[in-house]
């Protein structure tokens, strides 16, 4: 007897979860914003029940926070959040480089180059640029063959996208990212472990600097508006 996998459409709860989370990551719903089930339901064209279920899941994951008698709000991005995620990402990407250097193949390099070219074509669209940036780093983790490592990278990468969507607006940041990715590819192609790790860590450190600069600028703007 042959069994065929049935492809099921995402549930309304899953659609609401993905839609709201993506809006948070792209900061279409900025940090600190209040969430209203009715408005979200109307925007997603679904009922309030799956929206409520999605918000509970998002709260469990730390994307939103409920305050008794006040409502539910998108979590704020703090310097501590950024520093913790960057620390973890440095450790993960150093391990990834060590794991993939001995096994990386020419077709893998070609795929990385294709992702690079795709990102090059998205410099006018922050959301797509950041999305393809995630693809680049997730693909590196997938080359390791370590499923748990890929899971951790996916989790970290979503937070990096959230932190960094404003940072790519800084002068020359996109051009810098592309140069850094090209450098990583070059080191991987030549199987230079230490140089590849250095290139990856410098890329992450530059990302940290850009995110913190953008975060500080946002906080200063909010302070001025409140005066």
């Amino acid at each position: 007897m042959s069994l065929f996998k049935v492809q099921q459409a995402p549930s309304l709860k899953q659609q609401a979860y993905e839609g709201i989370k993506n809006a948070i990551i792209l900061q279409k719903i900025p940090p600190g914003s209040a969430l209203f089930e009715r408005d979200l339901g109307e925007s997603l064209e679904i009922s309030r029940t799956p929206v409520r279920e999605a918000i509970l899941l998002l709260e469990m994951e730390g994307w939103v926070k409920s305050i008794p008698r006040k409502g539910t709000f998108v979590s704020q991005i703090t310097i501590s959040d950024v520093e913790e995620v960057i620390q973890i990402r440095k450790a993960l990407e150093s391990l990834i480089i060590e794991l993939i250097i001995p096994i990386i193949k020419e077709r893998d390099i070609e795929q990385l180059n294709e992702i690079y070219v795709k990102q090059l074509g998205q410099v006018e669209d922050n959301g797509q640029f950041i999305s393809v940036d995630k693809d680049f780093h997730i693909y590196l983790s997938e080359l390791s063959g370590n499923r748990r490592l890929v899971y951790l990278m996916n989790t970290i990468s979503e937070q990096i996208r959230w932190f960094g969507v404003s940072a790519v607006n800084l002068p020359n940041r996109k051009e810098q990212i592309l140069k850094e990715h090209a450098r990583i590819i070059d080191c991987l192609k030549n199987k230079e472990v230490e140089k590849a790790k250095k290139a990856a860590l410098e890329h992450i450190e530059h990302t940290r600097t850009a995110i913190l600069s953008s975060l500080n600028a946002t906080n200063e703007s909010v302070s001025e508006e409140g005066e």
Side-chain angles (χ1 to χ4, degrees), residues 94-105:
S94 291
L95 176 58
I96 288 168
I97 296 297
E98 291 178 1
L99 292 175
I100 68 176
I101 284 285
I103 60 175
I104 197 165
K105 298 177 176 60

Side-chain angles (χ1 to χ4, degrees), residues 139-157:
Y139 183 68
L140 287 176
S141 69
E142 290 172 345
L143 292 176
S144 73
N146 187 319
R147 292 180 293 107
R148 290 172 176 80
L149 188 52
V150 175
Y151 172 80
L152 290 171
M153 275 299 296
N154 263 302
T155 301
I156 292 299
S157 293

Side-chain angles (χ1 to χ4, degrees), residues 6-39:
V6 177
Q7 197 75 17
Q8 293 184 331
S11 66
L12 292 178
K13 172 185 172 182
Q14 186 65 24
Q15 290 179 44
Y17 168 80
E18 294 293 344
I20 298 168
K21 185 172 76 170
N22 196 51
I24 291 172
I25 288 174
L26 296 179
Q27 297 192 23
K28 292 180 179 178
I29 308 177
S33 298
L35 296 178
F36 300 100
E37 291 175 6
R38 179 187 296 175
D39 293 344

Side-chain angles (χ1 to χ4, degrees), residues 30 45 50 54 59 67 77 89-90 176 197 223:
E45 298 183 348
E59 184 170 16
I67 301 175
I77 300 172
R89 184 174 170 183
K90 284 181 176 180
Q176 186 181 37
K197 286 172 66 174
S223 297

Side-chain angles (χ1 to χ4, degrees), residues 17-216:
Y17 168 80
E18 294 293 344
I20 298 168
K21 185 172 76 170
N22 196 51
I24 291 172
I25 288 174
L26 296 179
Q27 297 192 23
K28 292 180 179 178
I29 308 177
S33 298
L35 296 178
F36 300 100
E37 291 175 6
R38 179 187 296 175
D39 293 344
L40 291 170
E42 290 177 355
S43 179
L44 294 165
E45 298 183 348
I46 57 178
S47 68
R48 293 172 63 176
T49 299
V51 170
R52 186 178 305 118
E53 294 172 343
I55 288 175
L56 288 174
L57 183 54
L58 289 165
E59 184 170 16
M60 289 175 58
E61 295 180 353
W63 294 101
V64 305
K65 182 177 182 179
S66 292
I67 301 175
R69 295 181 296 279
K70 290 188 176 181
T72 302
F73 303 84
V74 176
S75 297
Q76 296 281 5
I77 300 172
T78 68
I79 292 175
S80 178
D81 292 330
V82 176
E83 296 289 11
E84 288 179 4
V85 170
I86 289 294
Q87 287 171 4
I88 296 170
R89 184 174 170 183
K90 284 181 176 180
L92 293 178
E93 296 217 14
S94 291
L95 176 58
I96 288 168
I97 296 297
E98 291 178 1
L99 292 175
I100 68 176
I101 284 285
I103 60 175
I104 197 165
K105 298 177 176 60
E106 183 61 35
R107 65 174 177 269
D108 301 326
I109 298 296
E110 291 174 358
Q111 181 63 38
L112 284 170
N113 276 315
E114 288 181 13
I115 297 172
Y116 172 84
V117 171
K118 183 178 179 181
Q119 189 174 26
L120 187 64
Q122 298 292 345
V123 292
E124 300 300 325
D125 186 324
N126 284 4
Q128 286 300 314
F129 187 88
I130 290 291
S131 179
V132 180
D133 188 89
K134 176 187 175 182
D135 293 342
F136 181 88
H137 293 280
I138 294 301
Y139 183 68
L140 287 176
S141 69
E142 290 172 345
L143 292 176
S144 73
N146 187 319
R147 292 180 293 107
R148 290 172 176 80
L149 188 52
V150 175
Y151 172 80
L152 290 171
M153 275 299 296
N154 263 302
T155 301
I156 292 299
S157 293
E158 288 195 332
Q159 293 178 61
I160 288 290
R161 284 175 66 208
W162 183 38
F163 299 162
V165 72
S166 297
V168 294
N169 282 322
L170 295 176
N172 303 316
R173 179 56 191 150
K174 291 176 186 173
E175 291 80 2
Q176 186 181 37
I177 289 172
L178 290 165
K179 288 179 181 178
E180 291 162 0
H181 281 183
R183 176 61 177 158
I184 293 170
I185 294 172
D186 188 54
C187 292
L188 291 173
K189 183 177 181 179
N190 295 323
K191 294 186 177 292
E192 299 170 316
V193 180
E194 293 307 317
K195 287 185 178 180
K197 286 172 66 174
K198 181 180 179 183
L201 291 175
E202 286 179 350
H203 172 53
I204 297 168
E205 185 58 29
H206 291 158
T207 297
R208 170 186 172 274
T209 300
I211 290 172
L212 292 178
S213 177
S214 176
L215 183 59
N216 288 333

